Amino acid sequence: MDFNLFMGDIVESARNEITQAGFEELRKPEDVKESLSKSGTTLVMVNSTCGCAGGVARPAAASAIHYDKRPDQLVTVFAGQDREATELARQYFEGYEPSSPSFALLKDGQILKMVERHEIEGHSPVEVVNKLQDLFDQYCEEV
């Protein structure tokens, strides 16, 4: 099998999984600027093709948002795929090293907290859901 064809299927599947969960995909720098400049709270999922993204981060993202409190906006960038958009999004994550998969919670375009790869890899989806929902309790309004 052709490697690029194989990877294309994996990437497309990863994209579909997170957008079907309700996250808006930001594929271009302009998309990032527009979304992250909005007022309110925004959860950014930095997606990737690694096992902890598919086995933990994306399932946790899909589950965590079904909660009394949640961010006003749910968006995603794809590390290694939409490079310019991901690089720009990471500029908003001041004080944090690049990490994927990861989650960044912003308010009015300013970073509040991140759930980094080391808090995802080796953890269960339920543990990551709990971390995200703890952030929602601290920083988000009831829906």
Side-chain angles (χ1 to χ4, degrees), residues 60-133:
S63 294
I65 60 174
H66 299 284
Y67 194 61
D68 292 342
K69 293 182 176 183
R70 71 177 230 179
D72 300 313
Q73 184 175 216
L74 305 169
V75 298
T76 182
V77 293
F78 207 127
Q81 300 301 312
D82 304 322
R83 294 173 199 262
E84 292 176 351
T86 303
E87 282 180 33
L88 181 57
R90 285 179 169 154
Q91 290 177 19
Y92 287 82
F93 311 158
E94 189 174 321
Y96 293 92
E97 292 294 319
S99 173
S100 60
S102 62
F103 297 93
L105 185 63
L106 294 93
K107 183 167 185 171
D108 302 332
Q110 300 296 309
I111 187 72
L112 296 170
K113 294 279 184 177
M114 282 197 74
V115 176
E116 299 174 271
R117 180 187 178 102
H118 69 86
E119 298 173 277
I120 297 169
E121 188 175 32
H123 293 81
S124 73
V126 171
E127 290 172 306
V128 177
V129 166
N130 290 336
K131 288 175 190 182
L132 291 170
Q133 290 178 342

